[in-house]
Amino acid sequence: MAMARKSDMESMYGKFDPEEDEEENYQTYRIVLDEPAPGKEREMTREQRMTLVEVFQRLDKDKKRRLGKKAVGKLFVGLGQFPTDDELKTMLKEVPKCGLDVEGCINFFTKHYQYDETADVPPTTYEEMVEMFQTFEIDTENPDLMHIEDFYDAMQSMDRKEVKKMLKLVKIDKYDKFNYKDLARELTRPIGSRKRIESSSDDNVD
């Protein structure tokens, strides 16, 4: 079993932990954009722009009205996007040394936004989710735990990137195991209150 490596995104852009303190809890502001009509660009509603501005202001700690690469990455992830480390690095290459102002961040978010196909699907109940997970391969010593590879195997009908997004909602230990009841709890929360956890095994979720 390969040991976990420190994630590239954590080392380069800072660990995003929505529970670190109240000021860092950007994930509660998740923005879900509508798919644009053919030939049209994605646009934010007035309310969504206001949401982004609020998060921008909280990240703009030095009050320069511009965000650098690290803060732009936090804003993008904190508003509900789950790019891979490599995808985020590529995106952030577009951010100039002087950073981005509010309009720049809005353009960055709408340009790189990835539509979440699960956003409009009504969640099942927590009990039903747990019951479904219990049909998967679970840990014999601790029946509340499941190895991420067993979870991938059980969810092989889904795109692996989508499964990875699900696993980022829970803490993964150094043995690449997670509490599936915690995952069930997060998946049945309202979309806007879901949390993304950076774990020590985040690189091994690939």
Side-chain angles (χ1 to χ4, degrees):
M1 183 85 55
M3 294 300 291
R5 305 185 307 274
K6 186 173 183 180
S7 75
D8 291 336
M9 188 161 63
E10 176 179 337
S11 60
M12 290 187 66
Y13 306 118
K15 184 175 181 180
F16 180 82
D17 185 351
E19 292 190 326
E20 186 174 274
D21 56 45
E22 183 179 357
E23 195 171 70
E24 294 291 329
N25 193 7
Y26 313 120
Q27 188 67 30
T28 60
Y29 295 90
R30 181 177 185 182
I31 290 175
V32 178
L33 299 181
D34 292 331
E35 280 292 271
K40 300 290 185 179
E41 296 183 354
R42 294 190 187 93
E43 292 184 352
M44 285 187 179
T45 64
R46 179 175 179 274
E47 291 75 16
Q48 289 171 336
R49 290 173 69 94
M50 290 174 64
T51 295
L52 186 144
V53 168
E54 182 175 349
V55 176
F56 179 99
Q57 291 173 339
R58 293 170 70 179
L59 284 165
D60 181 25
K61 299 184 185 298
D62 56 9
K63 306 304 178 186
K64 292 184 178 180
R65 298 184 180 181
R66 303 188 78 85
L67 299 184
K69 287 186 178 183
K70 178 178 177 179
V72 171
K74 282 192 174 186
L75 179 141
F76 190 70
V77 172
L79 290 175
Q81 293 296 291
F82 293 104
T84 65
D85 292 350
D86 288 341
E87 287 172 342
L88 187 60
K89 289 178 199 173
T90 300
M91 294 174 194
L92 292 176
K93 287 179 180 178
E94 301 176 10
V95 178
K97 290 183 178 180
C98 63
L100 295 177
D101 58 12
V102 168
E103 284 301 319
C105 286
I106 290 173
N107 292 336
F108 181 92
F109 187 86
T110 55
K111 175 181 178 180
H112 296 292
Y113 178 86
Q114 296 175 342
Y115 181 66
D116 183 356
E117 294 179 353
T118 68
D120 301 320
V121 178
T124 186
T125 66
Y126 168 77
E127 291 76 13
E128 290 173 335
M129 189 76 72
V130 168
E131 185 176 349
M132 179 187 73
F133 287 160
Q134 287 174 338
T135 66
F136 299 170
E137 186 76 25
I138 58 179
D139 193 288
T140 53
E141 296 181 1
N142 187 336
D144 288 344
L145 297 182
M146 185 183 303
H147 194 281
I148 60 173
E149 288 305 324
D150 292 329
F151 187 70
Y152 274 124
D153 289 343
M155 304 295 287
Q156 57 184 316
S157 62
M158 288 183 62
D159 184 276
R160 195 173 178 89
K161 287 184 178 180
E162 294 302 314
V163 179
K164 182 179 179 180
K165 290 180 184 180
M166 294 170 64
L167 287 173
K168 287 190 175 185
L169 295 171
V170 292
K171 179 77 174 179
I172 298 174
D173 66 23
K174 62 181 180 180
Y175 303 108
D176 292 339
K177 295 179 181 180
F178 66 96
N179 188 314
Y180 64 85
K181 292 182 179 178
D182 289 344
L183 180 59
R185 188 173 295 108
E186 290 301 322
L187 289 173
T188 52
R189 288 179 188 271
I191 286 290
S193 64
R194 292 182 185 175
K195 298 176 180 179
R196 181 180 189 269
I197 304 298
E198 295 284 4
S199 71
S200 59
S201 299
D202 206 34
D203 258 5
N204 282 3
V205 184
D206 293 319

